Amino acid sequence: MTDSKYFTTTKKGEIFELKAELNSDKKEKKKEAVKKVIASMTVGKDVSALFPDVVNCMQTDNLELKKLVYLYLMNYAKSQPDMAIMAVNTFVKDCEDPNPLIRALAVRTMGCIRVDKITEYLCEPLRKCLKDEDPYVRKTAAVCVAKLHDINAQLVEDQGFLDTLKDLISDSNPMVVANAVAALSEIAESHPSSNLLDLNPQSINKLLTALNECTEWGQIFILDCLANYTPKDDREAQSICERVTPRLSHANSAVVLSAVKVLMKFMEMLSKDLDYYGTLLKKLAPPLVTLLSAEPELQYVALRNINLIVQKRPEILKHEMKVFFVKYNDPIYVKLEKLDIMIRLASQANIAQVLAELKEYATEVDVDFVRKAVRAIGRCAIKVEQSAERCVSTLLDLIQTKVNYVVQEAIVVIKDIFRKYPNKYESVIATLCENLDSLDEPEARAAMIWIVGEYAERIDNADELLESFLEGFHDESTQVQLQLLTAIVKLFLKKPTETQELVQQVLSLATQDSDNPDLRDRGYIYWRLLSTDPVAAKEVVLAEKPLISEETDLIEPTLLDELICYIGTLASVYHKPPSAFVEGGRGVVHKSLPPRTASNESTESPETAPAGAPTGEQPDVIPTQGDLLGDLLNLDLGPPVSGPPLTTSSVQMGAVDLLGGGLDSLMGDEPEGIGDTNFGAPPPAAPARVGAPIGSGLSDLFDLTSGVGTLSGSYVPPKAVWLPAMKAKGLEISGTFTRQVGSISMDLQLTNKALQVMTDFAIQFNRNSFGLAPAAPLQVHAPLSPNQTVEISLPLNTVGSVMKMDPLNNLQVAVKNNIDIFYFSTLYPLHILFVEDGKMDRQMFLATWKDIPNENEAQFQIRDCSLNAEAVSTKLQSSNIFTIAKRNVEGQDMLYQSLKLTNGIWVLAELRIQPGNPSFMDLELSLKCRAPEVSQHVYQAYETILKN
């Protein structure tokens, strides 16, 4: 009779009858009873009341009965922890049973009972089993350590089990090694900081030896562990690759993918000139092709992984195009994935084959597949220039079929072909216009409208065509409405006389009758542009468009490198890093490929300049490219920091990294902005603001903008525009620097000239000559609405990182808000760095003056100063330039002065005041300093202070 009888319920199967049977003297009856209990448990009945009776059955030599009892124990120990303690003695006894199967069974069950009270009793038996003479017991015990660590990590560390596990990596039995690696990897994953798998060439060698002999799961664990190792040089990488390559011919697809992952990772370190590199490329193709003969689900996983591999190294599969041709009976998910890879592998050599295949697919019955095939033809045209002609004629043939969805997809891709090859295929526009009436999908309608607007001058009845779309303007989707608005404005700019009414109609529809903010904003912008400056409108609306690139759907390179490290896992199927879909406390470690070796071609080295950094001469305000790359705000390529500004008062600005990788804007667009900040001749004072927000703080109390009434009377230059709105998407930043009673601040005025609210402000400085850095986050307490201005005083300190700039007082700033990150440079006046204790003792002054070599002395002239000696001395003292002595020599006043910079540099000055014409004096300034490059800037400070 089969086991199904245990699942049938009669009155007899009730708890009290089972209890009687469990306590029976007959072994067979006992066994039957336990089977019934397990059957009831399996179908979800609560049989926990029988716990003591089932535990009594543990004392048996019968392996089958023991397994059943252990199964029951695992299930109910959690709900009955006090009863479970009764079983501990049996576990301890079973761990010393002469039969290794029973020893292993006991250890396995111990690991599955997740009850804190019991775990400490299990440490001794586990320790014995880890050193058991039988490898089956040792391998089971290794996994038990990982389970125990999950319940009580501290206990495992205190008991020294982790060290025992590390020793098992050197075990003679490959399965024990594999399980030890699996257990350590599991523990290391939940504690990323612990360096448990301390891999070195010796342990790697042991793992590679075990690799050939263990089961497929063991091989996967070992290969995954190898993938986390970084070889010390290309020779070690090559030797590991040679020993891993045989795994590519394994029957299990998971082993194959794990091996591919190791090889893809270590290939980064091999030079492309090596013969071995070519051999390895050839060896990688067959196993990947073999994976495609498996069942569809496996094919799909393989294709998703191949998609990543082809993006990283297309040369591996470049001759294997035929494998990716679609079979009639492939499921749709496999078909679409194959199509994607076909386009990635398309090249001049195989394009004829690919196009013939794609044209075939476009006549299939599966609508989704046909659409993707038509898109694919367009992508081939953009990718392989030589094939563009054939692709366009193929698309025209497809349009002639008059199959609605084929026509619509064809029009969408032809729009992209026009963008890629301007003035080449416009002759087909007439054919496209014939199909206008059949278009009902938003994307196709929008594409057609774009074509009509872009080539309005070649289409005689463009105005009629666009007018036909206008009739149902409010029923169209937003995409079509936006495109229609732009197209009609383009048409108006090309044929102003005939389309006056049309443009007025669309503008009023878009602005007055629409409630879509995007549409209204665009409508108003066009309206203002056309009414104020038609020439500017032409430059904006009819500007040259950049050519579109071939692969718009490539995965971003750093993400691709991370995904290559996760080949064969869910991340490679989702094409997302684990952090995007794994929840919970597990520390998800970001992996990346090893750096390329020095022998490799320099184009691939990570030290090269970022794309977009211009070469050639740069404005001399910016330091050399090398300096910038190494240190522009300790460039961290993470995403820009979002969320509220930090609230700690002494925040280290290095922690908030605003540069999500945008040096080009700082390096390309700078010179105009820098000219504004010439402190030698400051621009006129900014006009007083009307309707300033109430909370603009101290700056209003002391009226910082005018420089009058500051606490210590230090001179404040008027605000200058540092970042014009047109360069910062509508954010205009003006500012100046002040020093009051020993504290420096940057007084900023932020104006929102955009049409959207700005929030999430943050600021960061590049390293600079005097270590200026924000002493607190940039606090903009309320969102900045359009046309609103806010004034903020940002406290600064001089404890930031130092790097000599050119000129010395150059400061590079990054400001972030919810829209973007913006960069600008400004020059700060040196007198904000003159400290309050800069008055030198007379004797000290004399000694220092003599001590500084004469070649460090610099002479300057300050002409037309309207102050006498007394007033000069007072005015300079308010900016921390102190007069130590004064004397009159032959009718000329001589002032001896000292000042000290925040970094401890002393500057000594001799100021000779010569009466010029009656109301103005000429001043002669001699400066001595151990750092002579400071003198020019100190002179500029003198001139600025005395003349304002």
Side-chain angles (χ1 to χ4, degrees):
M1 198 174 172
T2 64
D3 286 351
S4 60
K5 64 180 179 182
Y6 304 114
F7 291 88
T8 55
T9 56
T10 57
K11 185 70 185 128
K12 244 169 79 180
E14 293 308 315
I15 299 287
F16 66 90
E17 293 199 1
L18 283 172
K19 204 179 180 79
E21 286 180 27
L22 285 169
N23 293 319
S24 152
D25 298 335
K26 293 181 180 156
K27 275 189 180 175
E28 274 312 304
K29 210 166 188 182
K30 225 179 210 179
K31 196 186 323 178
E32 292 293 298
V34 173
K35 282 186 179 179
K36 283 180 190 168
V37 171
I38 298 289
S40 303
M41 181 179 90
T42 311
V43 296
K45 282 187 186 166
D46 180 17
V47 282
S48 56
L50 297 168
F51 201 94
D53 306 287
V54 177
V55 171
N56 283 339
C57 302
M58 273 173 86
Q59 313 289 345
T60 171
D61 299 333
N62 186 317
L63 191 59
E64 188 184 6
L65 182 55
K66 211 178 246 320
K67 277 185 181 173
L68 290 169
V69 174
Y70 276 169
L71 202 61
Y72 177 88
L73 255 181
M74 281 184 227
N75 202 31
Y76 282 118
K78 203 161 180 113
S79 58
Q80 308 258 354
D82 297 335
M83 302 288 262
I85 290 186
M86 291 165 42
V88 167
N89 285 335
T90 315
F91 278 134
V92 175
K93 214 166 93 195
D94 280 357
C95 282
E96 295 180 359
D97 195 275
N99 182 344
L101 290 176
I102 289 182
R103 295 202 298 273
L105 182 66
V107 133
R108 177 180 295 129
T109 312
M110 276 163 29
C112 294
I113 295 180
R114 304 179 61 83
V115 178
D116 273 344
K117 283 184 180 175
I118 297 184
T119 42
E120 50 219 55
Y121 295 111
L122 305 181
C123 291
E124 271 319 303
L126 179 58
R127 187 174 285 111
K128 283 180 188 159
C129 289
L130 281 167
K131 299 207 160 62
D132 199 282
E133 77 266 15
D134 192 286
Y136 182 73
V137 180
R138 291 201 300 277
K139 102 183 166 70
T140 313
V143 178
C144 185
V145 174
K147 290 179 179 170
L148 195 57
H149 188 274
D150 201 33
I151 306 166
N152 190 340
Q154 198 53 51
L155 180 75
V156 171
E157 285 160 31
D158 296 345
Q159 293 282 343
F161 288 147
L162 294 181
D163 297 327
T164 317
L165 261 190
K166 286 180 191 170
D167 296 343
L168 287 183
I169 288 186
S170 314
D171 198 277
S172 55
N173 184 292
M175 264 327 291
V176 178
V177 176
N179 277 19
V181 166
L184 283 170
S185 304
E186 181 81 10
I187 294 169
E189 215 169 275
S190 54
H191 291 67
S193 52
S194 63
N195 188 16
L196 285 177
L197 275 163
D198 183 17
L199 297 174
N200 52 39
Q202 290 72 38
S203 55
I204 289 292
N205 192 25
K206 286 171 188 160
L207 293 183
L208 286 164
T209 310
L211 185 61
N212 299 322
E213 297 166 33
C214 53
T215 65
E216 47 202 30
W217 284 110
Q219 292 184 26
I220 293 167
F221 287 133
I222 290 177
L223 287 167
D224 286 349
C225 179
L226 285 174
N228 293 330
Y229 174 64
T230 307
K232 59 179 187 296
D233 55 23
D234 51 351
R235 285 185 52 191
E236 190 185 356
Q238 182 175 335
S239 103
I240 294 175
C241 288
E242 283 167 351
R243 294 177 69 179
V244 167
T245 315
R247 299 298 103 217
L248 291 173
S249 51
H250 200 283
N252 184 315
S253 51
V255 175
V256 173
L257 281 176
S258 292
V260 168
K261 168 168 62 183
V262 175
L263 297 174
M264 284 292 289
K265 199 166 172 183
F266 290 176
M267 274 171 90
E268 283 295 300
M269 298 186 69
L270 302 179
S271 162
K272 288 190 173 178
D273 315 331
L274 281 175
D275 292 343
Y276 181 68
Y277 182 85
T279 318
L280 198 51
L281 284 180
K282 288 196 190 98
K283 282 185 177 167
L284 273 169
L288 292 173
V289 170
T290 309
L291 289 177
L292 296 182
S293 51
E295 50 269 39
E297 294 79 8
L298 272 179
Q299 272 187 57
Y300 178 70
V301 172
L303 286 165
R304 290 294 279 176
N305 281 282
I306 288 170
N307 201 328
L308 295 174
I309 293 165
V310 165
Q311 286 182 54
K312 184 72 185 167
R313 299 197 184 281
E315 61 272 28
I316 293 178
L317 289 160
K318 66 179 178 197
H319 301 305
E320 302 292 345
M321 177 62 91
K322 281 195 168 155
V323 192
F324 300 104
F325 285 175
V326 170
K327 298 192 182 80
Y328 75 96
N329 58 352
D330 280 337
I332 182 70
Y333 54 88
V334 170
K335 284 181 175 175
L336 296 178
E337 206 55 43
K338 280 185 173 177
L339 253 185
D340 216 25
I341 295 170
M342 276 170 69
I343 302 160
R344 294 207 195 289
L345 291 175
S347 64
Q348 212 176 325
N350 56 23
I351 194 74
Q353 226 182 351
V354 172
L355 272 180
E357 206 45 33
L358 290 175
K359 193 172 178 182
E360 196 69 30
Y361 300 162
T363 56
E364 288 263 349
V365 288
D366 192 322
V367 178
D368 285 337
F369 181 52
V370 172
R371 283 173 181 279
K372 184 121 184 189
V374 176
R375 291 240 163 160
I377 295 173
R379 275 174 62 188
C380 288
I382 289 166
K383 187 175 181 192
V384 185
E385 190 167 341
Q386 294 76 5
S387 72
E389 191 96 28
R390 293 175 67 169
C391 292
V392 172
S393 63
T394 306
L395 288 168
L396 286 176
D397 292 349
L398 291 172
I399 288 175
Q400 297 309 336
T401 61
K402 298 286 184 213
V403 177
N404 191 315
Y405 54 86
V406 175
V407 173
Q408 311 215 48
E409 286 296 329
I411 286 177
V412 173
V413 296
I414 286 177
K415 176 201 74 175
D416 287 343
I417 294 173
F418 285 167
R419 286 280 308 273
K420 175 77 174 173
Y421 308 110
N423 305 322
K424 228 171 166 183
Y425 302 108
E426 281 75 6
S427 52
V428 307
I429 291 176
T431 319
L432 302 183
C433 290
E434 291 165 16
N435 293 284
L436 254 177
D437 302 333
S438 63
L439 306 179
D440 51 15
E441 290 169 20
E443 199 178 359
R445 287 172 79 83
M448 193 64 226
I449 292 168
W450 181 86
I451 292 170
V452 174
E454 190 65 19
Y455 301 104
E457 69 277 15
R458 305 180 189 208
I459 305 172
D460 304 331
N461 60 340
D463 48 343
E464 291 168 28
L465 296 176
L466 292 175
E467 202 167 357
S468 66
F469 283 102
L470 259 191
E471 288 156 14
F473 186 77
H474 289 306
D475 304 330
E476 299 285 4
S477 71
T478 309
Q479 185 183 7
V480 177
Q481 290 177 332
L482 286 166
Q483 208 51 271
L484 193 51
L485 172 61
T486 304
I488 291 178
V489 172
K490 283 180 187 169
L491 176 66
F492 173 70
L493 290 168
K494 290 173 181 176
K495 304 181 180 177
T497 46
E498 304 141 54
T499 53
Q500 189 97 36
E501 282 178 33
L502 192 59
V503 81
Q504 284 177 332
Q505 191 185 348
V506 77
L507 286 172
S508 73
L509 280 171
T511 53
Q512 288 153 14
D513 307 345
S514 168
D515 52 4
N516 179 328
D518 290 342
L519 187 62
R520 284 191 5 229
D521 284 354
R522 191 182 288 193
Y524 279 126
I525 285 172
Y526 285 153
W527 202 320
R528 284 174 194 158
L529 262 176
L530 293 171
S531 54
T532 53
D533 190 351
V535 181
K538 232 175 183 157
E539 283 174 13
V540 171
V541 182
L542 301 178
E544 278 286 300
K545 285 166 196 59
L547 297 183
I548 59 176
S549 68
E550 33 214 68
E551 297 275 1
T552 45
D553 58 342
L554 282 177
I555 293 175
E556 189 263 325
T558 48
L559 174 59
L560 180 62
D561 286 354
E562 186 176 350
L563 291 176
I564 292 287
C565 303
Y566 286 111
I567 284 178
T569 66
L570 259 184
S572 67
V573 178
Y574 286 153
H575 288 188
K576 288 178 181 172
S579 52
F581 59 87
V582 174
E583 290 180 0
R586 295 253 159 186
V588 176
V589 190
H590 280 288
K591 299 185 181 180
S592 61
L593 294 178
R596 296 192 75 78
T597 48
S599 60
N600 266 359
E601 51 286 353
S602 59
T603 50
E604 305 225 17
S605 88
E607 291 83 43
T608 46
T615 48
E617 288 210 11
Q618 292 155 10
D620 58 8
V621 178
I622 310 297
T624 62
Q625 173 109 343
D627 287 346
L628 258 177
L629 289 181
D631 82 44
L632 190 60
L633 320 189
N634 51 18
L635 189 66
D636 167 4
L637 290 174
V641 173
S642 57
L646 301 170
T647 47
T648 48
S649 56
S650 60
V651 62
Q652 267 281 294
M653 290 315 285
V656 185
D657 203 348
L658 306 183
L659 296 182
L663 298 187
D664 37 5
S665 56
L666 179 56
M667 300 184 70
D669 314 345
E670 236 3 81
E672 310 96 276
I674 292 159
D676 303 348
T677 12
N678 178 354
F679 293 103
R689 284 182 305 105
V690 185
I694 295 166
S696 54
L698 286 179
S699 52
D700 282 2
L701 190 59
F702 298 117
D703 187 15
L704 296 185
T705 42
S706 62
V708 179
T710 57
L711 288 179
S712 72
S714 175
Y715 167 66
V716 180
K719 286 199 173 79
V721 176
W722 287 340
L723 183 65
M726 62 189 293
K727 281 197 187 168
K729 300 185 181 172
L731 172 66
E732 187 180 274
I733 300 181
S734 313
T736 184
F737 294 87
T738 62
R739 183 181 185 95
Q740 296 163 19
V741 259
S743 55
I744 307 169
S745 52
M746 180 192 235
D747 291 340
L748 295 165
Q749 178 174 306
L750 308 181
T751 305
N752 181 356
K753 295 190 174 178
L755 295 172
Q756 59 178 321
V757 175
M758 294 181 179
T759 55
D760 302 341
F761 284 86
I763 192 165
Q764 200 171 333
F765 294 176
N766 192 2
R767 292 171 18 186
N768 53 74
S769 310
F770 293 91
L772 274 179
L778 181 61
Q779 300 280 10
V780 181
H781 291 295
L784 195 57
S785 309
N787 295 323
Q788 189 191 355
T789 297
V790 64
E791 294 208 356
I792 299 146
S793 186
L794 177 72
L796 307 182
N797 59 33
T798 50
V799 296
S801 303
V802 175
M803 175 177 85
K804 189 174 174 186
M805 301 297 278
D806 178 26
L808 211 56
N809 57 340
N810 182 25
L811 180 66
Q812 294 171 345
V813 183
V815 172
K816 167 193 159 290
N817 63 13
N818 57 328
I819 298 171
D820 206 342
I821 299 170
F822 309 104
Y823 308 93
F824 63 86
S825 276
T826 180
L827 304 171
Y828 48 89
L830 211 64
H831 70 257
I832 63 166
L833 303 172
F834 297 176
V835 295
E836 282 64 18
D837 60 347
K839 188 166 186 176
M840 205 180 244
D841 173 63
R842 278 186 177 208
Q843 302 309 116
M844 186 73 178
F845 182 95
L846 275 169
T848 310
W849 186 276
K850 287 178 186 161
D851 198 23
I852 294 174
N854 286 340
E855 55 264 37
N856 282 21
E857 186 170 345
Q859 310 277 349
F860 303 95
Q861 282 225 325
I862 302 170
R863 296 197 178 280
D864 302 337
C865 174
S866 58
L867 305 170
N868 61 17
E870 201 59 47
V872 165
S873 183
T874 311
K875 194 157 191 182
L876 289 172
Q877 180 144 349
S878 69
S879 289
N880 295 338
I881 300 173
F882 299 93
T883 303
I884 291 161
K886 176 186 168 190
R887 62 182 209 196
N888 191 295
V889 180
E890 301 170 358
Q892 295 180 350
D893 285 317
M894 306 276 281
L895 299 177
Y896 296 92
Q897 298 177 315
S898 70
L899 61 98
K900 184 174 154 194
L901 296 169
T902 48
N903 58 0
I905 292 176
W906 285 90
V907 181
L908 311 187
E910 181 190 74
L911 192 59
R912 187 189 297 258
I913 301 174
Q914 301 172 316
N917 49 24
S919 57
F920 288 94
M921 314 274 184
D922 281 350
L923 312 183
E924 272 183 26
L925 178 66
S926 295
L927 295 174
K928 263 193 159 186
C929 175
R930 293 191 196 281
E933 56 268 47
V934 174
S935 300
Q936 176 67 33
H937 301 284
V938 172
Y939 154 66
Q940 283 172 6
Y942 263 82
E943 189 168 57
T944 308
I945 295 163
L946 292 175
K947 288 195 170 179
N948 291 287

